[in-house]
Amino acid sequence: MDKNNLEKQTAFISEEEKVINWQEVQVAFKKSFGNEVYTSWLEKISLVKEYNDYLILGVPTRFFRDWIVSRYLDKILEQVKSFKLSLNRIEFKIIEDNKGNTDFIKINEINKVTEIKDSILNYNRLNSNLNFANFIEGKSNDIALSYSKKVCEHLSRYNPLYICGGVGLGKTHLLNAIGLELQSENNVMYISAERFMYHFIKSIKKNDMVNFKDFFRKSSVFIIDDIQFIRGKESLQEEFFHTFNSLIDKGSQIIISADRSPSKLDKVQERIKSRLAGGLVVDIDTPDFDLKVKIIKKKIIEIQNQFKEVINLNEEVINYIASECKTNIRDLIGILNRIIAFSRVHNKTLNISDCKNILKDVFNQIRVITVDKIQNVVSNYFNISLSDMLSQRRSRPLARPRQIAMYLAKKMTSRSLPEIGRRFANRDHTTVIHAVKTITRLSDQDDEMKKNIHQIKNLLLEQ
Ligand code: ADP
Ligand code: MG
């Protein structure tokens, strides 16, 4: 056989029995399933053996196999078929303790939750100090409080009850209070979304999903804190969705908290968002002056009773703290504790100038706010991508957030107008001026705009 012929022949053979290029298939998976699903699931599938009309693929666990078979098999088959026309079947083989297994755990960000202590008791423990009796009512939380109490009287009437609000405003306190109220007569499960995730991953690793499902689905009151944690975590969302549905089906009450409303939960599946919004959504706002004063006074009484000591803070000092602390109730209590600690150490009744001194560093804390940070927070807040926000498109849902971000960049950083323009995809400084003017005017006239700006500023200051 001459050389030419040989080449022809091998080319012919390799064409006929072409070994599927798994890397190429993986690239196609990534494209069609999206990064989240890909890194959580598809990436872990390996090619074990190739036959003419079927493939054997390797997966790390039985649960993993069931999961992808029930959700993705058709699409996987279709994808792989585009590489191998003769294919009509896929089989999975569980390859235990392989590298894929540990990778899988890592991908699911277990590193974020490893510090959580691994005890069942630990995560279902309600804090008896966070009850209704010591939750103080104000304009910012009265609706959330009243429905939290109503839920306890009429289980399943508002299902789920969804409480949202920024950090430190009392969400965890309310969830706890509900749990305490109901625990004597119900099987109450209280867990943070983060811990739910931890147990989920642990169960996958131990191949013990049956217990996991039973454990969470047997509760008659299921309380889950900080649900925003599931954002961007596809597999966790799936599991949460199933838990949620089976609890609702059997008539259990669900109470959820989050740092934002269901519609603002980006990177969460639509069907979950609509489930979350399907009961009653109540929100907690930042406290007004009156509520802050009430809380300070109540805390002082609590501390006096607890430590059997007299705390002398005059009205002026209390008002000062209440008006200066603009963030949230957690910070307010922190500041109060700091002042009380100081007065203990120095054994004196503090006046307002002492307080000013003590708190100088707290209130003047320099927060470094950058244009980048503003852009990120604003685009997140409005649920649009950063690149859309910076793009040249002029539709209002993009243009308004863009203008708000420019306005905040001018107000909250020391950057000049041309510098800000450059950071917004090289826009002219006159565009920035126009944005600042527009938003200034709108936030005077429009309550919604005022509220948005206020909330975004808080988000920026919290970070
Ligand atoms: P979140 O979960 O919203 O971040 P928390 O529930 O942890 O906030 O509240 C932060 C702190 O403020 C807790 O110590 C909580 O007890 C206290 N707190 C919040 N709201 C109130 C309130 N209305 N009355 C009394 N204490 C409150
Ligand atoms: Mg909380």
Side-chain angles (χ1 to χ4, degrees):
M1 207 183 293
D2 69 18
K3 191 169 163 275
N4 249 351
N5 236 343
L6 182 68
E7 258 176 18
K8 254 189 210 150
Q9 206 158 357
T10 44
F12 180 73
I13 289 168
S14 61
E15 196 53 45
E16 183 73 354
E17 295 176 5
K18 194 173 177 186
V19 176
I20 205 163
N21 182 336
W22 195 243
Q23 259 172 333
E24 278 175 18
V25 179
Q26 288 277 2
V27 172
F29 280 164
K30 191 169 181 176
K31 244 193 206 148
S32 75
F33 286 89
N35 214 19
E36 276 306 324
V37 178
Y38 176 74
T39 47
S40 304
W41 303 104
L42 284 300
E43 193 183 27
K44 305 288 158 278
I45 304 175
S46 56
L47 176 63
V48 178
K49 208 160 171 136
E50 181 182 359
Y51 294 92
N52 200 19
D53 58 350
Y54 77 101
L55 293 181
I56 299 183
L57 302 180
V59 289
T61 63
R62 192 178 308 269
F63 169 74
F64 191 109
R65 180 197 63 195
D66 295 346
W67 190 287
I68 46 182
V69 166
S70 66
R71 286 167 181 79
Y72 308 123
L73 186 59
D74 289 347
K75 208 163 154 191
I76 291 176
L77 191 61
E78 182 191 319
Q79 285 284 323
V80 185
K81 241 182 129 127
S82 66
F83 289 86
K84 191 178 169 76
L85 284 176
S86 56
L87 187 77
N88 59 31
R89 184 158 57 99
I90 287 177
E91 282 179 14
F92 289 97
K93 185 173 159 64
I94 292 148
I95 307 170
E96 263 152 319
D97 289 321
N98 69 354
K99 194 170 143 278
N101 205 341
T102 46
D103 277 0
F104 169 59
I105 302 299
K106 199 174 85 216
I107 288 294
N108 278 281
E109 294 171 64
I110 198 165
N111 43 345
K112 275 197 187 162
V113 287
T114 41
E115 75 280 8
I116 294 171
K117 286 196 191 65
D118 186 14
S119 144
I120 284 202
L121 277 178
N122 242 345
Y123 68 81
N124 195 18
R125 194 182 287 154
L126 292 161
N127 180 345
S128 60
N129 293 320
L130 303 176
N131 51 42
F132 281 128
N134 62 17
F135 188 88
I136 302 170
E137 185 170 352
K139 277 197 199 108
S140 51
N141 62 26
D142 54 353
I143 294 175
L145 175 62
S146 100
Y147 282 101
S148 297
K149 287 182 173 166
K150 277 189 193 151
V151 155
C152 298
E153 289 160 21
H154 306 283
L155 285 178
S156 306
R157 181 177 294 183
Y158 311 102
N159 213 3
L161 176 68
Y162 184 105
I163 303 174
C164 53
V167 55
L169 297 181
K171 301 181 298 293
T172 298
H173 192 137
L174 277 182
L175 295 194
N176 240 275
I178 296 172
L180 290 171
E181 192 74 18
L182 292 173
Q183 70 176 353
S184 60
E185 298 193 354
N186 298 275
N187 183 353
V188 174
M189 165 66 59
Y190 168 81
I191 193 167
S192 69
E194 189 174 353
R195 202 171 281 267
F196 183 76
M197 156 108 167
Y198 169 76
H199 285 280
F200 172 56
I201 293 171
K202 210 174 72 172
S203 309
I204 296 173
K205 194 174 157 201
K206 284 173 39 197
N207 219 339
D208 193 18
M209 280 309 288
V210 176
N211 269 334
F212 174 90
K213 287 177 198 291
D214 280 357
F215 190 73
F216 287 103
R217 291 174 193 189
K218 69 175 189 246
S219 54
S220 61
V221 175
F222 183 68
I223 306 177
I224 186 157
D225 204 357
D226 290 322
I227 196 73
Q228 72 276 359
F229 185 79
I230 68 172
R231 289 165 61 228
K233 301 183 176 69
E234 277 294 329
S235 49
L236 185 66
Q237 288 180 26
E238 286 289 337
E239 189 54 38
F240 173 74
F241 185 68
H242 295 304
T243 304
F244 183 102
N245 286 343
S246 72
L247 285 168
I248 293 273
D249 280 350
K250 76 184 198 57
S252 301
Q253 172 71 48
I254 300 178
I255 303 118
I256 296 164
S257 84
D259 67 353
R260 62 197 85 188
S261 65
S263 61
K264 295 228 164 75
L265 283 172
D266 56 332
K267 294 184 249 151
V268 170
Q269 299 169 14
E270 284 304 322
R271 57 184 186 154
I272 295 183
K273 286 201 245 186
S274 78
R275 280 295 156 110
L276 294 178
L280 182 71
V281 178
V282 289
D283 69 348
I284 310 185
D285 217 333
T286 42
D288 62 7
F289 180 78
D290 287 351
L291 178 58
K292 285 187 278 190
V293 169
K294 272 201 241 167
I295 288 175
I296 295 172
K297 289 185 174 165
K298 170 93 177 212
K299 279 283 157 197
I300 291 175
I301 294 171
E302 270 178 32
I303 296 169
Q304 294 195 130
N305 290 342
Q306 193 181 351
F307 297 104
K308 310 262 173 297
E309 64 180 327
V310 178
I311 294 169
N312 277 318
L313 291 184
N314 65 34
E315 203 72 18
E316 194 191 8
V317 166
I318 292 175
N319 290 350
Y320 173 74
I321 302 170
S323 69
E324 289 300 306
C325 175
K326 296 192 169 60
T327 49
N328 59 53
I329 295 172
R330 184 176 300 146
D331 288 350
L332 183 74
I333 295 171
I335 287 169
L336 179 66
N337 283 334
R338 201 157 159 158
I339 288 185
I340 292 173
F342 190 91
S343 88
R344 252 186 222 138
V345 171
H346 296 277
N347 202 10
K348 67 181 276 202
T349 306
L350 301 180
N351 60 32
I352 192 150
S353 74
D354 296 326
C355 289
K356 280 188 181 163
N357 270 333
I358 300 166
L359 298 181
K360 210 161 48 195
D361 54 329
V362 180
F363 292 142
N364 291 348
Q365 237 172 44
I366 302 162
R367 315 230 185 208
V368 186
I369 294 181
T370 60
V371 178
D372 276 354
K373 206 183 217 175
I374 292 174
Q375 291 176 337
N376 280 320
V377 168
V378 171
S379 58
N380 249 330
Y381 181 87
F382 288 104
N383 230 341
I384 56 179
S385 74
L386 187 58
S387 57
D388 278 348
M389 191 175 84
L390 299 182
S391 72
Q392 301 300 325
R393 286 159 59 194
R394 287 165 182 234
S395 68
R396 176 155 301 175
L398 299 180
R400 275 286 182 267
R402 184 183 302 138
Q403 288 179 318
I404 290 175
M406 288 184 191
Y407 163 89
L408 291 173
K410 180 65 200 136
K411 298 277 167 190
M412 299 180 86
T413 74
S414 54
R415 300 263 166 210
S416 68
L417 293 167
E419 274 175 316
I420 294 172
R422 271 199 293 282
R423 301 295 197 88
F424 282 80
N426 257 332
R427 285 178 164 79
D428 194 71
H429 75 280
T430 53
T431 312
V432 185
I433 294 175
H434 176 70
V436 174
K437 277 190 185 155
T438 310
I439 301 302
T440 309
R441 177 171 50 78
L442 286 176
S443 60
D444 269 351
Q445 299 165 349
D446 178 348
D447 282 346
E448 182 66 26
M449 179 63 85
K450 197 181 291 173
K451 188 173 156 203
N452 286 342
I453 301 273
H454 177 74
Q455 287 180 342
I456 296 169
K457 273 191 184 162
N458 277 345
L459 287 173
L460 282 162
L461 293 171
E462 272 163 18
Q463 294 200 340

